[in-house]
């Protein structure tokens, strides 16, 4: 094929030349152009068992995406691997008034059923595979170290790269499924050893465990799309990737990826490549960013509050963006119970929604904790809080969250875990 | 008249378009969502965190920016905007293009009949020189002229 510099195998060339149909050729052409933009010299096989897509929402404005999906289906072009996908935007259990429900169901997400059906046709793993935390054991889309992925969803990509040692670029929606369809992705960036070197050293010098969501935010805003090597955090979260450390890194990573554009971080003495190669992962002339408690406070105090009435009483609280792990659900249940007791309340004083993957919700609901959480008044849902918030009605509602990702993309207001707990159990004022 | 040379990501020419300049990262989802949702054909920027662009029409402009930031839906949003005819007439990046913007520009090129010429690596000097409202010409070989 003239005009391309990338070295392609005969099979890849055949696809590009249309031997597997015009639609497949366009899919390959897109990936080749995408790779060449970043200097990729070849396409490498996608080696993970499963894919993950960022687009889960049947939002009416995405009509061109649904038309493209129709083209793929009509051309017999489906994913070579099953995939999970980001959380659903709707759940009738999440508080919404009549008008909001009307807007959600009749206007915004009116294409949801059609899109769900399209996803099933092109390779959706199962009807419960809707979550941003697809890598959790309960969900079962956990790549192995060194696996090459064709994923999107910034929080999942940064987790897979950093905590699991898989290899994936920060792909856009549509590019994710294209890689899963042809079974190849262009070799550049975070797929290469060079691209995984850290160009920033972050020295954590706090006097207490840093709030994961603020630390991630500070690092993301500083390093943007670069790779940071974080020193001093293992002092607070240990040297073993246990449930607590993984949950911390999930929240930390989501903040680095949304407040900046981080696709990979290394934690000294903890994450797999840092344990394996240590400071050899740091590139020459890496810049240094020192973070102490004062710096975290500065970052947090600079978050804009875009509520119309900055003193409004919160009307809703979301905890779980990204989705909570099973251990986090247990921990939050216990914390809410204890705090309600402390303040002499029986139920949360602000409508509160915890969100988790359907498989995690199912596991949790089989335990006595489910009834205990229900008794506190907290709603447990599989919804995507970000999609829930992305409409003009919810945008005007004073919503609070402990998620720096949700804060970044919506009008919700960020509070630390401790502040949120007090607000929902004691009262906002 | 000032001339800058960048790298062609998506080829094409623009005879004349009005510059719309942001010095900070362009959040694609936040910028386009409102206009796509509510049928605003002028594509007014909906990103409240971007004072350079907020509420300014983006349709048919020469959007001058360092990089894009935000959600990995970004490329898909750009593709949708192109398919619906709501995009700027070209994208002019001072820095090397990021993976999300590249995806959007390439998807628009391959899958729609409304491609957006896209040039990156124009340098910091370009973003310092260009002002919102300037007339811009884009040539096939990545030359960008502030008229």
């Amino acid at each position: 094929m003239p005009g391309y510099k990338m070295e392609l195998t005969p099979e890849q060339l055949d696809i590009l030349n249309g031997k597997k149909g015009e639609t497949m050729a366009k899919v390959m052409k897109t990936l080749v152009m995408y790779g060449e933009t970043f200097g990729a010299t070849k396409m490498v096989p996608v080696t993970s068992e499963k894919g993950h897509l960022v687009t889960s929402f049947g939002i009416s404005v995405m009509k061109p995406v649904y038309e493209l999906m129709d083209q793929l289906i009509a051309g017999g072009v489906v994913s070579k691997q099953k995939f999970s996908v980001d959380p659903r935007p709707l759940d009738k259990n999440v508080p919404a008034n009549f008008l909001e429900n009307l807007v959600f169901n009749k206007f915004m997400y009116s294409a949801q059923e059609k899109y769900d059906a399209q996803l099933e046709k092109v390779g959706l793993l199962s009807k419960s595979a809707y979550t941003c935390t697809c890598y959790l054991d309960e969900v079962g889309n956990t790549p192995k170290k060194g696996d090459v992925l064709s994923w999107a969803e910034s929080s999942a990509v940064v987790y897979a790269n950093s905590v699991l040692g898989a290899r994936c670029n920060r792909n856009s929606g549509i590019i994710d499924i294209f890689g899963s369809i042809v079974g190849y992705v262009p070799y550049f960036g975070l797929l290469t050893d060079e691209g995984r070197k850290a160009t920033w050293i972050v020295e954590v010098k706090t006097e207490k465990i840093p709030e994961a969501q603020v630390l991630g935010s500070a690092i993301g805003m500083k390093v943007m799309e670069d790779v940071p090597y974080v020193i001093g955090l293992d002092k607070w979260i240990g040297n073993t990737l246990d449930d607590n450390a993984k949950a911390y890194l999930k929240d930390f990573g989501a903040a680095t990826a949304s407040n900046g554009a981080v696709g990979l971080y290394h934690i000294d003495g903890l994450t797999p490549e840092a344990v394996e190669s240590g400071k050899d992962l740091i590139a020459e002339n890496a810049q240094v960013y020192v973070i102490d408690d004062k710096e975290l406070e500065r970052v947090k105090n600079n978050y804009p509050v875009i509520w119309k009435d900055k003193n409004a009483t919160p009307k809703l609280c979301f905890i779980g963006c990204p989705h909570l792990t099973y251990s986090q659900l247990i921990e939050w249940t216990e914390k809410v119970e204890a705090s309600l007791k402390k303040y002499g309340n029986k139920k949360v004083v602000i409508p509160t929604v915890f969100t988790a993957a359907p498989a995690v919700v199912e596991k949790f609901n089989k335990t006595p904790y489910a009834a205990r959480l229900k008794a506190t008044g907290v709603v447990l849902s599989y919804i995507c809080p970000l999609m829930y918030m992305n409409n003009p009605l919810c945008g005007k509602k004073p919503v609070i969250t402990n998620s720096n990702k949700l804060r970044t993309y919506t009008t919700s207001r960020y509070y630390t875990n401790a502040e949120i707990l007090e607000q929902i159990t004691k009262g906002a004022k | 008249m000032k001339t800058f040379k960048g790298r062609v990501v998506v080829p094409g020419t623009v005879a004349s378009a009005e510059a719309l300049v942001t010095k900070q990262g362009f959040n694609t989802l936040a910028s386009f969502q409102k206009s796509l949702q509510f049928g605003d054909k002028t594509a007014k920027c909906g990103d409240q965190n971007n004072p350079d662009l907020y509420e300014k029409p983006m349709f048919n402009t020469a959007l001058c920016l360092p990089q894009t930031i935000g959600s990995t839906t970004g490329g898909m949003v750009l593709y949708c905007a192109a398919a619906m005819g709501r995009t700027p007439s070209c994208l002019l990046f001072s820095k090397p293009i990021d993976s999300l913007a590249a995806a959007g520009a390439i998807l628009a090129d391959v899958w729609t009949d409304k491609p957006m010429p896209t040039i990156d690596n124009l340098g910091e000097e370009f973003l310092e020189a260009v002002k919102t409202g300037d007339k811009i010409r884009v040539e096939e070989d990545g030359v960008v002229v502030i008229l």
Side-chain angles (χ1 to χ4, degrees), chain A residues 23 26-27 29-30 33-34 36-39 54-55 57 59-65 68 71-72 107-108 152-154 170-175 178 188 224-225 257-258 260 304 306 386-387 390 392 408-409 411, chain B residues 7 9-11 25 27 29-30 33-39 48-49 67-77 79-81 83-84 95-107 109-112 120:
Chain A
T23 308
K26 281 171 80 174
V27 170
K29 183 183 174 186
T30 306
M33 283 179 73
Y34 175 60
E36 290 210 330
T37 301
F38 298 99
V54 66
T55 316
F57 38 98
I59 193 164
S60 49
V61 294
M62 293 283 187
K63 199 175 163 203
V65 173
L68 193 149
Q71 274 191 63
L72 297 178
F107 298 102
M108 285 195 70
E153 168 47 49
S154 64
R170 262 173 64 88
N171 298 308
S172 169
I174 302 183
I175 294 293
F178 280 9
F188 71 92
M224 293 310 289
E225 74 276 22
S258 56
I306 46 181
L386 210 156
M387 286 300 122
N390 261 332
T408 302
Y409 293 136
T411 53
Chain B
R7 177 185 67 144
V9 176
V10 171
N27 190 319
L29 176 63
Q33 191 184 9
K34 206 169 158 188
S35 68
L36 296 185
Q37 182 77 39
F38 297 103
Q48 301 180 66
N49 292 314
Q67 279 186 319
T68 71
I69 57 169
S71 164
T72 47
T73 56
M76 189 181 64
V77 170
Y79 159 72
C80 285
M84 296 162 86
K95 291 184 175 182
I97 196 168
D98 57 279
S99 60
L100 304 180
I106 292 165
L107 285 165
D109 186 49
V110 178
W111 295 86
T112 78
D120 76 347

Side-chain angles (χ1 to χ4, degrees), chain B residues 3 6 21 37 77 88 96 98 105 126 140:
Chain B
T3 302
V21 182
Q37 182 77 39
V77 170
D98 57 279
F126 167 70
E140 188 77 34

